[in-house]
Amino acid sequence: MPIDIKQIVTERLGENYDLHERYINRTLVSVQRTIGFDKIYANARGAYLYDLDGLEYLDFLSGYSVFNIGRNHPAVKQAIRDVVDMDLPNMVQMDCSLLSGVLAEALVKRMPAHLNAVFFCNSGAEAMEGAIKFARAATGRGGLVSLEGAFHGLSMGALSIMGNPHFQDGFGPYLEGCHRVQIGNLTAVESLLTTGGIAAVIMEPVQGKGVKYPKDNFFNEVQRLCREHGALLISDEVQCGLGRTGKWFGFQHWDLEPDIITLAKSLSGGFVPVGAIATRREIYQKTFNQMDRCVVHSSTFGRNNLAMACGLATLQVIEDEGLVENTARMGELLVSRLNELKERHSVIKEIRGKGLILAIEFHEPKELALKLGWKGLHKMEVNLFTQMVVTSLLSRHRILTQVAAHGLDTLKILPPLMIGEAEVEKFVMALDSVLKDCRKFPGPLWDLAANFFRHSLRKPASVP
Ligand SMILES: Cc1ncc(COP(=O)(O)O)c(C=O)c1O
């Protein structure tokens, strides 16, 4: 008898956390239980998740930027059905599949002309691994320069160019020849490039961790120096690409011309893993430079039909629904509404971001009573205040958000790109209300934060 997935879901929904505790990552389960994130979601559509009682949750996390077009989009579901119903040949490997060719063509059409060759893989980290290999093969050099605060994935190569020690601790040694510089430190970039041993400088247009980016022409100068010294510029668009920043690609905010870009996350619309590298044809060919090296870099599932069909459907949705333009509009609205909140809440230090990758950074408030609460929490753990806000947004207002990174007092939001004014208003009102509740010190919100600490949650949940 074939397995009945519908029956499994109907009968067993609710066992989620117990199963994970028993068989998967029980530390994550403990964290979710402690911070009140142990919800059972039963359905999802667009910008909303629904629990077992049918209660609606606004998803301002988007699966870490996977659900840019919203959850369970009918166009992507149809693409999956079509592929399955046609009994298409898949991953024959010793052929050239049609759908991967058509998706590569569709991507190239949307990118600047110099990015004209595509390699498909299965994740963001895998795309970064490939980008490192392409850069090394193209330049014959080994050195890599990345930025402090960077997050490029958790496989060994990606981890080697990581700018967050938290994720590295315990997993070394790393790739040789990796250097990190602060955003803005052109002198450091130049002195590394001058050695002649650097294959590439790697940047995220807006860093996923902490939502940081240069406010000046740092990236343009890095690009100029790369050209001068024969190094490549890699733009990691895994989180920023495909509309997230209010432009098709994050590098377009600085009019850059990166030699290599990487994509993943939202490219396949949220059902099937996917990753992609786009580069200049001449760089591509340096990796696949002779017949016996034609698969020297490859991945078994890389061009699988489901991912490719979903990619085509997703690109079409982004265009048909004007999601890039909507992102720019909703991002502007959010920033201006959040700046109004900043006037009323001295605990807000800064609102920053581009499009719909936004950060609300907190600092010590001016009010005396709040100062005490803030100082107390910071003695315990630096993220606790933000975690308290994140938990309250979920428990009191049913809005899903995240702490932006370890060690930062920053709330990060990544709404789906299809939100409207109603969702913007809902979030702003909820944040206003949570920050008003914070003024009651001592009070239930501060107790909540102290409780996290008592449950020995020394590292609040900030996951990629
Ligand atoms: C900018 C960036 N690069 C790479 C990755 C790694 O992607 P994946 O989790 O698909 O390996 C992430 C994931 O969050 C990311 O944000």
Side-chain angles (χ1 to χ4, degrees), residues 312-333:
L312 284 165
T314 302
L315 292 180
Q316 188 78 40
V317 169
I318 295 175
E319 234 153 51
D320 288 353
E321 298 184 9
L323 293 186
V324 181
E325 300 75 14
N326 189 59
T327 303
R329 248 190 341 266
M330 290 304 120
E332 255 174 48
L333 182 62

Side-chain angles (χ1 to χ4, degrees), residues 197-424:
I198 300 299
V201 178
I202 303 155
M203 36 78 67
E204 294 155 86
V206 176
Q207 288 187 337
K209 295 279 164 215
V211 191
K212 295 190 177 157
Y213 48 94
K215 305 252 162 86
D216 56 13
N217 65 348
F218 172 69
F219 285 151
N220 306 78
E221 287 301 297
V222 169
Q223 176 173 284
R224 180 183 62 74
L225 288 169
C226 282
R227 300 275 186 276
E228 207 174 298
H229 295 279
L232 305 182
L233 182 67
I234 300 177
S235 183
D236 176 346
E237 301 276 341
V238 167
Q239 190 161 153
C240 289
L242 305 174
R244 169 60 58 194
T245 66
K247 292 189 187 283
W248 267 94
F249 302 100
F251 66 78
Q252 291 171 325
H253 287 277
W254 288 269
D255 289 326
L256 298 172
E257 215 179 81
D259 303 286
I260 301 178
I261 72 164
T262 52
L263 296 168
K265 290 192 187 275
S266 66
L267 174 56
S268 60
F271 286 92
V272 189
V274 74
I277 303 167
T279 184
R280 303 173 193 274
R281 172 56 71 189
E282 59 271 26
I283 292 174
Y284 201 99
Q285 290 311 122
K286 290 269 173 51
T287 290
F288 304 104
N289 60 348
Q290 51 194 51
M291 299 279 246
D292 67 350
R293 284 174 60 88
C294 65
V295 288
V296 75
H297 185 67
S298 74
S299 169
T300 305
F301 275 83
R303 289 152 292 164
N304 81 81
N305 282 334
L306 278 183
M308 301 298 104
C310 290
L312 284 165
T314 302
L315 292 180
Q316 188 78 40
V317 169
I318 295 175
E319 234 153 51
D320 288 353
E321 298 184 9
L323 293 186
V324 181
E325 300 75 14
N326 189 59
T327 303
R329 248 190 341 266
M330 290 304 120
E332 255 174 48
L333 182 62
L334 260 167
V335 168
S336 95
R337 296 287 284 115
L338 289 168
N339 272 317
E340 285 165 29
L341 280 196
K342 180 171 172 269
E343 296 301 307
R344 296 205 292 280
H345 298 284
S346 71
V347 75
I348 299 182
K349 179 183 176 195
E350 186 187 38
I351 311 297
R352 62 170 180 274
K354 293 197 180 288
L356 288 173
I357 174 168
L358 293 175
I360 298 133
E361 185 170 345
F362 301 113
H363 62 173
E364 189 175 300
K366 293 204 173 82
E367 297 83 353
L368 193 61
L370 294 190
K371 251 188 216 288
L372 289 176
W374 175 275
K375 283 198 167 119
L377 282 191
H378 275 68
K379 267 194 200 136
M380 294 185 224
E381 168 70 54
V382 80
N383 294 120
L384 273 182
F385 178 83
T386 311
Q387 187 58 63
M388 167 177 92
V389 173
V390 165
T391 292
S392 302
L393 282 169
L394 186 65
S395 63
R396 295 174 180 221
H397 301 275
R398 298 202 297 273
I399 300 179
L400 197 54
T401 58
Q402 70 181 118
V403 178
H406 293 280
L408 296 182
D409 286 310
T410 307
L411 172 73
K412 179 180 172 190
I413 54 170
L414 283 171
L417 309 187
M418 32 66 73
I419 57 163
E421 290 178 19
E423 283 75 28
V424 169

